[in-house]
Each structure stands twice: as structure tokens, then as C-alpha cells.
């Protein structure tokens, strides 16, 4: 019970902490970018939460103006993405910085952004692209006489030469950097240069000299105790020293260095890749000393490297395991691991490890050793050719970046020469354009005044015509009402009286049912058939009048659209709901609705440049909904100056207690919605 209680209590505590952290994220002020960046960097916070803080910084910065402070924050955000291993976000942010720097002509930020983009490709082992961006950044730093970051940039380029097996080129580049560091106290860069130089010498099989520089790097770490990565730097040095001892077959000393590195800190969680490298090397050296006590370290290293998708590490682990099983005469497993290592190395172009795998396969599988040896020879020749090609490629990249920089300088000089001429031409052009524009607008205003007078006259004539139509409609309605009264009177005085008389005469059947009475009643039943015929005739006439009433206003509105088709190139279509009883709607409402249609179609014909107009009139409970849409050029409702036509539409809508809504965007047509209570 106590165990369960403590488990529940601990779970509640963790949930509360996470909830608190989430609330802090949600309630954080958007302008507090420094706090957001600080939290995205804090290793005490879960990686998912840190990533959310970084995304929130990106959201805030997207609404900021492009100034030096914004770009500096973008650089910090890119650093957070890098620390969070969000490589694609890091690249996207770096490219954003480069675009903003180009826009503001900030050469220093452009150079740093290029360096960041190079870092992305460097981390992805896309060496030619990394070398290209580093070279562009280096030339830009030189162009603006900025030497603060150039040494580290050159070190990255030297490391690329090392990865491409240009060990002598790497060695020369690092030695040149070390010459510039004599009077500087950049101990971190000095440490990295010693490591790079040791790697280059080790690659050239000059292990004695490489040990000297690895030990120098170890000495420099005493100056890096305040560096956040001090422990891992110290352990990395011992790893390099142990690796050289392995090459010299001094595995006892190698074990000493690897154990010393592992004893510095528990790198299992903080530096899992370094931890995997150390235990793999330790397990391999112990295997070489016939010590099988830590054989599982090789499997453990493979598992960690596999979880991190560390391809070079996976290949190395599989080669070590293959060698272990071959030494223990388990050829099946040895063959399996070496074949897997060869395939992965080949697919990922890790040719040095592919050579090791081929050499091992030839020993494990002697039946096919000729195949593996031939492949080994071909690959060796190919690598030698590739190394020469790579060196030429990097030299070409250096040349091309120099050419780009020179072209940029020439373009800037040429721009300065023609700038004055452009301003002079632009000034004269603007002067003449202004004069022409003034003349044009004066003529346009005169034309608009004439057009406005004509529209007012036409509007007045249309109103008179429509009033005549309404008067005529009123007389039609009055005649229809009189006709309804006449029919009602006929029904009451004729049919109702006959039905009453017949009902009374047939009532006698309740008292008498003899044959004579039944014969008399049959005569009255025949009279009912006559009454039925008379009702049918009246109903037929009444139906004809009702449909006529429905079509009256509909005909008037439809005529407007027919007129639009005949007087313009606009194709107008209208659909009117048959459920609307126009005879029950007040004449004034119909008049205003007619005028709104007339004004809207006139505006479409004059200004919209539309070729299609679609209108709908429908009934919804206690209101009539009107929608008129066109596919014209549209306009900005907030900016357009309201003319007389639009004001008239709004005024008439108000008179009938309607609701008007106009939606329009430039290039997307216009839609008018009108709701009229009935």
C-alpha cells in the first residue's frame, strides 16, 4: 500500500510541474522575447516545452520590423534550434536571417547567416555545400575587415578537408590558424585547433606527432573549466588518446584512457553519442586483450548509436562485433555483421569503413575472397581518384567565391556610375507625368460632372415611370379585391344557401326511409353535383387570379434584367422564390426594392466591368433575403468614396427597416446582401 501511495504522490507531483510549466508557456507576454529564449535554452525543462518556447519566439519575431535588434534575436533563435537538434528549423531560420540581412544590406549579418547555413550542411556531412557557404562567409568577412569569426570559420573548412581525406591540406590550414592565435586568449578555439591537427596527423598515420597535439589539447582544458562543455571536452581528449593507442596496438593504455574518460562524468544522458563512442572503444580494446567481461559494451554502443541514427558509429560497431565473432569462430554472426557494415557504409559513402568491412569479409569468407579483394582494389583506386577530384573541387569553390565577390564589387561600382543618370531621368519623367496627370484629371472631372447630371435626369425619369407602374398596379390590386368580394358574395349567397337547403331536405331521412322519400332525396343529391360543378368553376377562376397576382412584381423585376441584357454585354440572371406573396407586401416596400435593384444594376453596368450578374430573392420565415453578385473588378469598401447611388441604396434600405451588407475585394467581384422584414 505504501508503494502505491508514493507512486500516486510522485505522479501527481510530476503532473503538477508539467501543468505549471505549460501554464507559464501560455500566459507568457509575447514581447518578453528574452525570457522565452532563456527558457528554450534551459536544460531543466523538457525538450518538447523548450521547442514550444522557441516556436513562440518565432511567432513574435514574425510580427517585428526588420531592424538590427530583430535580426539579433533571430540569430539567438537559430542557436536554440541548433541546441535542440531541430536542424531543419535551424536552416529555415538561418535563411530567413540571410534574406532580412540582404534586405537591410547588413553585410556582417549576411556573413554570419552564411556561416550558419554552412553549419547546417557541416552537421549533415554535406561537405561540398558546407565548404561553399563557409568560403562565401569568409570572403564577406574579409571584405568588411572583420576578423573576429574568421579563424573559427577557417577551422571548420580545415575539418572538412580532414573528412575528405585531404590530411596535408587540413594540417596546413590548422597551422595557419594557430599562427594567428599566438596573441589571443581564445582557449576554446586553441583546443579545437590542437584536436584538428591531431586528427590530421593521425589520418596521415603520424601517430607520434598526433599524441603530442592531443596532449596539448588536454593541457588547454585546464583553461576551460568555466566552459559549459568542459567535462565532455576533457573526455573527448582521452578518447582521441585512447584511439591512437589502439592504432599502435597498445590496448592496455587505450583501456586506461577510455576508463578515465568515462570516470569524468555520467555521459549516458548528457552526451549519449560520446558515451557510445567511449564504451565501444573500451569494449573493443578489452576484446583485443582477450578480456570478454565487457563484451556486451559493443552491443550497448550499437543500440545507442542506432537510436541516435549515428550512421558512422553504427558501421563501426558492426565491424567490431563482426571481428569479435570471427575471433570466437562464430562465422555466421561475423559474416552477418560485416555484410551489414559493408552495405550501410556503401549506401552512405563511408568508404574507409567499407574497405575495412571488405577486408574482414575476405578473411571470414575465404571462398569468395577473390571477389572481396577485387572490390577492395577497385574501391581503393576509386577513393584515390575521388580524393584528387575533391581537392580540385574545393579549390574550384575557393576560386568561384572569389569570382562572385569580384563581380559583386564591379556591380557596386557600376551601380554608382549610373545612379546619378537614373535620378536625373527619373526627375524629368516625374515632372512630365505630373503635368499630364493634372490635365487628365481636370478633363475626367468635367466628364464626371456631365455624367452625374445625366444620371440625375435619368433617375428622375425612372422614378416617374415607376410611380406610373405602381399606380397601375394599385388599380389592378383594387380590381382584384373587388373580384374577390364578388366571388365571396356568390359563395355566400348562392352556393351556401343551396347547400343549406339541400342539407335540410336530406335531414328527413332521419325520420322517413320509405321509397317515395328516397326518390325525393335523390333529386336533392343531383343538386349537390350541380353545386360541386359551380364550386369547381369558381375555384378555377380564383386560381387564375392568384397566379396573376404573384407574377406582377416578379415581371417588373425580371424586366430590369432583360433590359440589362439588351442594353449591355452583361448577362443578368434572377431567381425569385414562388413562396413570396407579393400582394401582401406594401407597395412602398416593393417600390424601394425595385429602386435598389435598378440602382445596383446601373452601378454594375457603369463601374464593375462585369459580364455576369446573378440575383436571388428568397423567403426566410418573416423576412425576404435578396442577394446580388457580380464577377467584376470589385473595390475596397473601406477606402472607396461613397457615391450618390450607394447612398441612395443605403437610404432606401433604412426606409424599409432592412439590413444591408456589401462584400467586395479587388479582383474578386462584389456581393450585396439585403434582408427585408415582412
Amino acid at each position: 500500500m505504501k508503494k502505491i501511495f508514493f507512486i500516486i504522490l510522485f505522479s501527481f507531483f510530476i503532473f503538477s510541474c508539467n501543468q505549471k510549466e505549460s501554464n507559464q508557456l501560455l500566459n507568457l507576454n509575447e514581447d518578453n522575447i528574452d525570457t522565452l529564449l532563456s527558457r528554450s535554452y534551459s536544460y531543466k525543462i523538457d525538450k518538447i516545452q523548450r521547442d514550444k518556447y522557441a516556436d513562440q519566439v518565432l511567432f513574435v519575431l514574425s510580427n517585428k520590423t526588420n531592424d538590427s535588434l530583430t535580426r539579433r534575436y533571430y540569430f539567438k533563435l537559430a542557436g536554440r534550434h541548433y541546441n535542440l537538434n531541430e536542424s531543419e528549423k535551424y536552416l529555415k531560420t538561418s535563411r530567413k536571417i540571410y534574406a532580412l540581412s540582404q534586405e537591410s544590406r547588413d553585410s556582417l549579418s549576411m556573413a554570419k547567416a552564411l556561416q550558419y547555413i554552412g553549419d547546417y550542411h557541416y552537421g549533415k556531412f554535406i561537405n561540398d555545400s558546407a565548404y561553399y557557404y563557409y568560403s562565401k562567409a569568409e570572403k564577406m568577412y574579409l571584405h568588411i575587415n572583420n576578423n573576429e569569426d574568421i579563424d573559427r570559420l577557417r577551422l571548420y573548412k580545415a575539418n572538412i578537408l580532414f573528412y575528405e581525406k585531404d590530411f596535408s591540406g587540413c594540417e596546413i590550414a590548422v597551422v595557419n590558424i594557430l599562427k594567428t592565435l599566438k596573441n589571443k586568449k581564445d582557449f576554446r578555439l586553441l583546443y579545437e585547433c590542437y584536436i584538428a591537427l591531431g586528427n590530421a596527423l593521425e589520418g596521415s598515420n603520424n601517430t607520434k606527432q598526433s599524441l603530442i597535439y592531443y596532449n596539448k589539447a588536454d593541457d588547454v582544458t585546464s583553461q576551460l573549466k568555466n566552459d559549459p562543455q568542459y567535462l565532455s571536452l576533457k573526455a573527448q581528449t582521452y578518447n582521441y588518446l585512447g584511439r591512437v593507442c589502439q592504432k599502435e596496438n597498445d590496448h592496455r593504455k587505450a583501456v586506461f584512457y577510455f576508463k578515465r574518460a568515462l570516470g569524468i562524468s555520467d555521459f549516458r544522458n548528457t552526451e549519449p553519442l560520446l558515451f557510445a563512442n567511449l564504451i565501444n572503444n573500451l569494449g573493443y580494446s578489452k576484446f583485443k586483450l582477450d578480456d570478454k567481461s565487457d563484451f556486451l559494451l559493443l552491443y550497448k554502443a550499437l543500440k545507442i548509436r542506432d537510436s541516435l541514427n549515428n550512421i558512422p558509429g553504427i558501421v563501426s560497431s558492426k565491424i567490431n562485433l563482426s571481428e569479435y565473432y570471427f575471433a570466437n569462430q562464430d562465422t555466421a554472426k561475423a559474416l552477418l555483421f560485416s555484410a551489414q557494415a559493408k552495405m550501410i557504409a556503401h549506401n552512405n559513402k563511408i568508404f574507409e569503413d567499407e574497405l575495412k568491412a571488405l577486408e574482414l569479409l575476405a578473411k571470414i569468407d575465404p571462398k569468395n575472397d577473390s571477389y572481396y579483394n577485387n572490390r577492395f582494389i577497385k574501391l581503393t583506386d576509386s577513393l584515390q581518384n575521388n580524393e584528387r577530384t575533391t581537392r580540385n573541387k574545393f579549390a574550384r569553390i575557393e576560386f568561384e567565391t572569389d569570382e562572385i565577390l569580384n563581380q559583386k564589387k564591379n556591380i557596386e561600382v557600376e551601380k554608382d556610375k549610373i545612379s546619378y543618370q537614373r535620378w536625373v531621368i527619373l526627375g524629368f519623367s516625374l515632372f512630365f507625368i505630373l503635368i499630364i496627370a493634372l490635365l487628365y484629371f481636370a478633363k475626367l472631372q468635367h466628364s464626371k460632372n456631365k455624367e452625374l447630371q445625366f444620371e440625375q435626369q435619368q433617375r428622375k425619369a425612372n422614378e416617374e415611370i415607376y410611380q406610373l407602374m405602381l399606380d397601375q398596379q394599385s388599380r389592378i390590386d383594387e380590381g382584384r379585391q373587388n373580384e374577390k368580394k364578388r366571388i365571396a358574395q356568390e359563395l355566400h349567397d348562392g352556393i351556401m344557401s343551396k347547400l343549406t337547403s339541400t342539407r335540410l331536405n336530406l335531414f328527413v331521412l332521419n325520420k322517413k326511409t320509405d321509397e317515395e322519400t328516397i326518390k325525393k332525396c335523390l333529386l336533392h343529391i343531383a343538386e349537390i353535383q350541380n353545386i360541386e360543378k359551380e364550386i369547381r368553376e369558381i375555384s378555377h377562376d380564383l386560381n387564375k387570379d392568384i397566379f396573376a397576382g404573384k407574377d406582377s412584381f416578379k415581371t417588373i423585376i425580371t424586366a430590369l434584367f432583360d433590359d440589362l441584357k439588351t442594353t449591355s454585354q452583361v448577362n443578368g440572371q434572377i431567381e425569385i422564390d414562388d413562396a413570396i406573396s407579393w400582394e401582401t407586401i406594401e407597395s412602398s416596400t416593393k417600390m424601394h426594392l425595385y429602386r435598389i435593384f435598378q440602382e445596383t444594376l446601373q452601378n454594375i453596368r457603369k463601374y464593375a466591368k462585369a459580364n455576369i450578374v446573378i440575383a436571388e430573392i428568397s423567403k426566410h420565415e418573416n423576412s425576404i433575403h435578396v442577394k446580388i453578385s457580380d464577377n467584376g473588378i470589385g473595390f475596397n469598401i473601406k477606402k472607396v468614396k461613397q457615391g450618390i447611388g450607394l447612398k441612395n441604396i443605403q437610404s432606401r434600405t433604412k426606409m424599409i427597416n432592412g439590413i444591408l451588407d456589401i462584400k467586395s475585394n479587388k479582383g474578386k467581384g462584389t456581393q450585396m446582401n439585403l434582408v427585408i422584414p415582412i
Side-chain angles (χ1 to χ4, degrees):
M1 285 297 292
K2 285 185 178 181
K3 283 186 177 180
I4 295 172
F5 173 76
F6 281 118
I7 289 170
I8 294 171
L9 184 64
F10 180 74
S11 300
F12 178 76
F13 174 75
I14 295 297
F15 174 80
S16 300
C17 290
N18 290 337
Q19 190 67 28
K20 182 179 179 182
E21 194 64 49
S22 178
N23 291 337
Q24 286 177 343
L25 176 65
L26 295 173
N27 297 329
L28 204 59
N29 190 320
E30 284 188 343
D31 294 327
N32 200 349
I33 301 177
D34 289 317
T35 303
L36 286 166
L37 286 169
S38 177
R39 292 189 177 186
S40 67
Y41 190 73
S42 175
Y43 288 99
K44 296 179 181 179
I45 300 173
D46 180 72
K47 182 182 181 298
I48 296 174
Q49 292 288 355
R50 284 188 283 145
D51 195 35
K52 286 183 180 178
Y53 284 127
D55 288 341
Q56 195 171 354
V57 172
L58 180 62
F59 174 76
V60 175
L61 290 177
S62 64
N63 297 315
K64 297 286 185 183
T65 56
N66 181 13
D67 53 27
S68 59
L69 179 62
T70 299
R71 293 192 294 277
R72 188 158 64 249
Y73 277 131
Y74 266 114
F75 275 116
K76 290 183 178 180
L77 177 61
R80 299 303 183 266
H81 287 319
Y82 187 86
N83 291 330
L84 289 166
N85 292 322
E86 294 289 345
S87 57
E88 298 307 319
K89 289 183 180 179
Y90 173 77
L91 177 62
K92 186 176 180 180
T93 304
S94 300
R95 285 177 172 167
K96 176 69 175 179
I97 298 168
Y98 184 71
L100 294 173
S101 303
Q102 277 190 313
E103 183 183 310
S104 59
R105 297 183 179 180
D106 183 352
S107 298
L108 178 59
S109 294
M110 286 171 64
K112 286 185 176 180
L114 286 169
Q115 183 175 340
Y116 276 35
I117 296 171
D119 289 342
Y120 166 82
H121 293 93
Y122 184 82
K124 295 286 186 179
F125 298 102
I126 310 173
N127 292 332
D128 52 350
S129 296
Y131 199 86
Y132 170 76
Y133 285 109
Y134 284 151
S135 297
K136 283 190 71 175
E138 181 187 7
K139 300 303 184 293
M140 193 161 287
Y141 280 133
L142 290 171
H143 179 63
I144 61 178
N145 297 319
N146 182 291
N147 297 319
E148 292 181 8
D149 301 303
I150 202 164
D151 287 333
R152 185 167 297 279
L153 191 66
R154 286 171 174 170
L155 176 60
Y156 293 155
K157 291 176 66 178
N159 285 334
I160 291 173
L161 294 176
F162 168 76
Y163 295 142
E164 295 295 334
K165 305 295 184 293
D166 185 1
F167 302 123
S168 60
C170 174
E171 183 181 348
I172 293 169
V174 176
V175 169
N176 288 332
I177 299 168
L178 286 170
K179 290 177 182 178
T180 67
L181 293 178
K182 286 182 178 180
N183 299 322
K184 296 180 182 178
K185 292 186 177 181
D186 191 344
F187 295 108
R188 175 63 185 264
L189 183 58
L190 182 62
Y191 167 87
E192 292 177 0
C193 284
Y194 283 146
I195 293 294
L197 190 52
N199 287 338
L201 292 165
E202 184 185 346
S204 302
N205 292 319
N206 191 348
T207 54
K208 299 296 182 184
Q209 287 293 317
S210 67
L211 282 172
I212 292 173
Y213 285 101
Y214 286 145
N215 280 306
K216 283 188 176 184
D218 184 41
D219 293 338
V220 174
T221 56
S222 62
Q223 303 292 332
L224 298 173
K225 290 182 179 179
N226 294 326
D227 192 297
Q229 294 180 308
Y230 165 70
L231 295 177
S232 61
L233 294 175
K234 191 78 172 174
Q236 193 70 266
T237 307
Y238 292 142
N239 186 44
Y240 286 127
L241 288 166
R243 196 176 64 187
V244 174
C245 292
Q246 282 183 333
K247 279 194 173 183
E248 294 182 335
N249 288 320
D250 189 353
H251 289 285
R252 291 191 183 279
K253 199 169 184 179
V255 168
F256 166 76
Y257 281 123
F258 295 138
K259 283 186 175 181
R260 194 171 180 183
L262 288 167
I264 290 174
S265 178
D266 184 9
F267 295 113
R268 189 189 312 267
N269 297 318
T270 58
E271 296 282 350
L273 186 57
L274 174 59
F275 179 74
N277 291 340
L278 289 170
I279 63 173
N280 176 73
N281 293 337
L282 177 61
Y284 182 77
S285 286
K286 283 196 170 187
F287 148 62
K288 285 294 185 179
L289 293 171
D290 292 327
D291 182 356
K292 300 180 181 179
S293 60
D294 287 329
F295 156 67
L296 291 178
L297 289 176
L298 296 175
Y299 268 110
K300 192 173 183 180
L302 174 60
K303 185 176 180 182
I304 295 172
R305 287 168 165 178
D306 193 48
S307 67
L308 297 172
N309 196 30
N310 177 236
I311 302 300
I314 293 170
V315 175
S316 176
S317 289
K318 287 183 179 291
I319 289 174
N320 290 347
L321 284 166
S322 176
E323 191 174 343
Y324 172 83
Y325 281 115
F326 180 62
N328 286 277
Q329 298 181 351
D330 189 344
T331 55
K333 286 186 178 180
L335 189 63
L336 174 65
F337 279 113
S338 56
Q340 289 177 346
K342 173 190 170 296
M343 181 183 67
I344 297 171
H346 180 78
N347 291 339
N348 291 275
K349 298 181 180 180
I350 310 173
F351 299 117
E352 186 176 352
D353 285 338
E354 186 178 358
L355 288 173
K356 290 180 182 178
L358 286 168
E359 190 175 8
L360 191 57
L361 282 166
K363 294 177 182 178
I364 299 169
D365 188 11
K367 292 181 180 179
N368 297 309
D369 61 344
S370 59
Y371 166 78
Y372 297 125
N373 289 329
N374 288 334
R375 174 61 186 156
F376 183 91
I377 294 168
K378 288 181 181 178
L379 183 57
T380 302
D381 294 339
S382 175
L383 285 176
Q384 290 175 351
N385 294 330
N386 187 58
E387 286 174 14
R388 286 193 292 270
T389 304
T390 300
R391 284 194 288 272
N392 294 335
K393 178 173 64 175
F394 288 138
R396 188 172 63 254
I397 289 173
E398 291 281 3
F399 173 75
E400 288 175 353
T401 51
D402 284 334
E403 284 290 302
I404 291 169
L405 191 61
N406 291 331
Q407 288 176 7
K408 185 178 180 182
K409 288 180 180 178
N410 293 334
I411 290 170
E412 288 177 354
V413 171
E414 189 67 25
K415 282 175 66 178
D416 291 336
K417 286 182 180 179
I418 65 175
S419 178
Y420 176 75
Q421 296 176 353
R422 285 184 176 179
W423 279 111
V424 172
I425 295 170
L426 182 62
F428 278 108
S429 300
L430 289 174
F431 177 72
F432 286 115
I433 289 171
L434 182 62
I435 292 175
I436 294 170
L438 289 173
L439 293 173
Y440 172 75
F441 283 116
K443 187 175 181 181
L444 184 64
Q445 189 62 38
H446 180 70
S447 175
K448 282 187 176 180
N449 290 336
K450 280 190 172 183
E451 187 178 353
L452 184 61
Q453 291 175 359
F454 174 75
E455 286 178 2
Q456 290 174 344
Q457 293 173 358
Q458 188 180 31
R459 189 177 293 110
K460 186 176 180 181
N462 288 337
E463 287 180 356
E464 290 176 356
I465 292 169
Y466 187 68
Q467 191 59 48
L468 289 172
M469 292 172 66
L470 290 177
D471 292 342
Q472 179 67 24
Q473 183 64 33
S474 179
R475 286 193 290 271
I476 292 171
D477 290 341
E478 184 179 353
R480 186 183 293 109
Q481 192 64 29
N482 291 335
E483 183 65 15
K484 286 181 179 180
K485 288 180 180 179
R486 181 188 66 78
I487 293 171
Q489 188 173 2
E490 280 191 25
L491 289 171
H492 182 271
D493 296 341
I495 293 172
M496 287 299 294
S497 62
K498 289 178 181 179
L499 285 172
T500 303
S501 175
T502 303
R503 179 176 59 80
L504 292 173
N505 288 325
L506 291 174
F507 187 72
V508 71
L509 289 172
N510 289 331
K511 297 178 179 181
K512 296 181 181 181
T513 56
D514 55 89
E515 186 176 347
E516 185 178 353
T517 302
I518 290 171
K519 286 182 180 180
K520 289 180 180 181
C521 287
L522 288 173
L523 295 174
H524 294 302
I525 290 170
E527 183 62 22
I528 289 174
Q529 292 177 346
N530 293 331
I531 294 170
E532 181 184 342
K533 183 178 179 182
E534 188 175 350
I535 290 171
R536 188 180 297 109
E537 290 175 356
I538 293 172
S539 298
H540 183 67
D541 293 339
L542 187 60
N543 281 335
K544 286 197 295 185
D545 288 341
I546 289 171
F547 284 117
K550 283 184 179 178
D551 291 339
S552 57
F553 185 78
K554 180 177 179 180
T555 303
I556 295 170
I557 296 297
T558 305
L560 285 176
F561 283 77
D562 293 336
D563 181 62
L564 182 68
K565 291 180 183 178
T566 56
T567 59
S568 69
Q569 295 181 349
V570 182
N571 181 15
Q573 301 175 17
I574 184 167
E575 183 176 348
I576 302 176
D577 193 346
D578 291 334
I580 302 173
S581 180
W582 293 106
E583 65 271 20
T584 61
I585 298 172
E586 293 181 3
S587 297
S588 60
T589 300
K590 291 188 282 190
M591 181 191 74
H592 288 302
L593 181 58
Y594 174 82
R595 291 300 300 123
I596 289 170
F597 265 94
Q598 188 183 46
E599 194 69 58
T600 302
L601 294 179
Q602 188 172 341
N603 286 341
I604 292 171
R605 182 165 42 201
K606 287 174 60 180
Y607 306 116
K609 297 182 181 180
N611 55 22
I612 297 175
V613 179
I614 299 174
E616 297 177 17
I617 305 177
S618 58
K619 183 179 179 183
H620 296 264
E621 295 181 356
N622 297 325
S623 61
I624 292 175
H625 289 215
V626 179
K627 183 168 77 173
I628 306 174
S629 305
D630 68 73
N631 66 341
I633 60 175
F635 61 92
N636 191 324
I637 298 171
K638 295 181 180 179
K639 293 184 179 179
V640 73
K641 184 178 179 182
Q642 291 191 355
I644 295 174
L646 185 57
K647 288 180 179 179
N648 284 343
I649 291 172
Q650 293 172 340
S651 175
R652 291 184 182 278
T653 302
K654 189 175 181 181
M655 288 180 183
I656 58 178
N657 298 320
I659 300 172
L660 179 66
D661 179 30
I662 299 176
K663 298 177 181 177
S664 182
N665 286 305
K666 283 192 174 184
K668 295 184 179 180
T670 304
Q671 179 177 308
M672 188 187 81
N673 297 296
L674 176 63
V675 180
I676 305 170
I678 56 174

